[in-house]
Amino acid sequence: MTVTFQDILAARDRIAGQVDRTPVRRSRRLSELTGADVWVKFDNLHYTGSFKERGALNRLLLLNAEQRRGGVVAASAGNHAQALAYHGARLGVPVTIVMPEGTPFVKIEGTRRHGATVVIEGRDFTGSTEAAHRLRDERGLVFISAFDDAGIVAGQGVCGLEFLEDAPEIEALVIPIGGGGLIAGSAIAAKALKPEVRIFGVEAAMYPSFSMRQAGLKPTCGGQTIAEGIAIKAVGDIPFGLAAPLIERVLVCEEADFERGVAYFATLEKTVAEGAGAGGLAALLAYPEVFRGMKVGLVLCGGNIDARMLAVVLNRELVREKRLVMYRIIGDDRPGMLSLMAAVIGDVGGNIIEVVHDRLSLDLPAKAAEFDILVETRDGAHADEIGRALRENGYALRMG
């Protein structure tokens, strides 16, 4: 099965006026941070929060009248689910979504809010797909893959088409890979408009299904990743066959890279990215030498991150930057000790956030206590200054 540039143009016309054309902007801050000339396509601004709307709508519009009446079923960790649910409701097509256990609550509720029936089954995407296939067979539904479907790939290709139309100067596209639908469609469109454009994929280290298949190896995938939107154990056959000849390199990123990407989008671009959505920026941060000086386009492909997880990521980034530091001090258990330590920290400008005072640990002498003091600092140098001040005042400590 193939998808052509003409299929993508037809998908663009089919969905026109029903899906937002998301903005493309040059980011001066991310350019300064990475050393590349960075352009971002903000697909997190779609109504359902991700790029999936184009493919979902295109595929629904390709159903015949009988299939629309009968309804569709899909397996999804959330973004394909919400897109299919939203556009299915608009078109009067019943939608059932099977989600894996552990799917972020924000995605489950978003899918239900759009009117779909949600079934939680399967420990991962593979298990949910098997359950969706059973429902298809039992109820006579049309199964719509999140990525392994020509209609989905053609719809997702509109992203690459828009990107190159709005920023024709870019020299490379960096696109996260889960099942492969986005990178396959976008690569076809981008190469049709600008044959010399370079295509880079991004995978999570826990789920390197595309790169391992390229290498002729059986993918070994698993684990809890913040980039759950691309936590796919097996890339789709259709997108793999289409994308593999067009991709120059697949870059594998660690969890910390995705976390930093989410944090920098929030703090520098003032926009919300989910883990997978920040994959392009994660690659630029992890492999700066590959992109330095290049005009690079990043698809910020989704912003559906749980609020609690976003808070965790932002706080973890403060810890990495040593703007939140834990000072652990063992001292005498006598009146006034805590106030004396607080005075030292306050005199050099530290802001105490939290104190844990432990008198009962058996590792301590009976007349001693352990103080864990979480302090907000300006930066790493300020954190070191606070540590020196505590030591100079006679407190033995370690920084966490």
Side-chain angles (χ1 to χ4, degrees), residues 286-299:
Y287 301 89
E289 71 285 352
V290 174
F291 301 103
R292 190 170 290 115
M294 191 185 303
K295 292 182 174 64
V296 181
L298 308 182
V299 180

Side-chain angles (χ1 to χ4, degrees), residues 65-108:
E66 182 180 353
Q67 290 170 328
R68 289 193 187 193
R69 285 192 298 271
V72 301
V73 64
S76 171
N79 288 335
H80 177 59
Q82 291 184 76
L84 205 60
Y86 170 61
H87 288 291
R90 287 182 53 249
L91 299 173
V93 180
V95 175
T96 300
I97 302 294
V98 184
M99 291 183 159
E101 300 165 10
T103 297
F105 183 72
V106 64
K107 294 184 177 182
I108 296 172

Side-chain angles (χ1 to χ4, degrees), residues 48 51 90 108 166 223 256 269 281-282 310 328 348 355 371 391:
T48 61
F51 76 96
R90 287 182 53 249
I108 296 172
D166 292 346
E269 277 301 314
L281 181 54
L310 178 59
R328 174 163 290 175
V348 288
V355 177
F371 304 85
R391 291 187 183 95

Side-chain angles (χ1 to χ4, degrees), residues 145-167:
S145 170
F147 46 82
D148 205 15
D149 183 293
I152 292 288
V153 173
Q156 313 307 20
V158 178
C159 176
L161 179 66
E162 292 177 357
F163 211 147
L164 267 292
E165 288 177 343
D166 292 346

Side-chain angles (χ1 to χ4, degrees), residues 2 9 20 147 204 210 250 255 293 346 357 361:
T2 189
L9 292 176
D20 293 329
F147 46 82
F210 195 105
V250 177
E255 290 299 290
H357 189 179
S361 174

Side-chain angles (χ1 to χ4, degrees), residues 184-375:
S186 293
I188 292 166
K191 288 282 190 181
L193 293 177
K194 188 174 184 177
E196 68 272 24
V197 72
R198 303 166 70 182
I199 308 295
F200 293 86
V202 185
E203 288 187 306
M206 294 183 188
Y207 291 85
S209 58
F210 195 105
S211 53
M212 291 191 74
R213 182 167 173 175
Q214 271 189 317
L217 303 173
K218 183 179 180 180
T220 54
C221 303
Q224 292 295 316
T225 172
I226 190 176
E228 75 281 338
I230 55 173
I232 306 298
K233 290 185 176 181
V235 64
D237 293 334
I238 293 171
F240 181 83
L242 295 168
L246 305 177
I247 296 175
E248 179 173 328
R249 183 178 175 186
V250 177
L251 304 169
V252 177
C253 292
E254 301 293 339
E255 290 299 290
D257 302 321
F258 289 102
E259 290 183 29
R260 291 169 67 206
V262 170
Y264 285 136
F265 268 125
T267 57
L268 299 182
E269 277 301 314
K270 317 304 180 188
T271 193
V272 175
E274 60 186 272
L281 181 54
L284 264 65
L285 295 169
Y287 301 89
E289 71 285 352
V290 174
F291 301 103
R292 190 170 290 115
M294 191 185 303
K295 292 182 174 64
V296 181
L298 308 182
V299 180
L300 198 179
C301 55
N304 291 318
I305 187 170
D306 182 82
R308 183 192 64 81
M309 183 53 62
L310 178 59
V312 168
V313 169
L314 293 176
N315 279 320
R316 284 168 63 89
E317 189 58 28
L318 292 177
V319 172
R320 287 193 184 93
E321 296 174 357
K322 297 181 77 172
R323 291 172 58 195
L324 276 181
V325 179
M326 181 72 77
Y327 299 90
R328 174 163 290 175
I329 304 169
I330 297 176
D332 297 335
D333 185 17
R334 55 186 172 82
M337 278 293 292
L338 185 57
S339 64
L340 290 172
M341 288 183 284
V344 173
I345 293 169
D347 287 345
V348 288
N351 182 33
I352 295 176
I353 303 297
E354 182 178 271
V355 177
V356 177
H357 189 179
D358 181 11
R359 292 183 175 92
L360 300 179
S361 174
L362 298 181
D363 294 336
L364 301 173
K367 291 188 176 182
E370 183 177 82
F371 304 85
D372 285 346
I373 306 177
L374 182 64
V375 179

Side-chain angles (χ1 to χ4, degrees), residues 31 47 55 72 170 219 283 345:
S31 298
Y47 180 68
V72 301
I170 62 174
I345 293 169

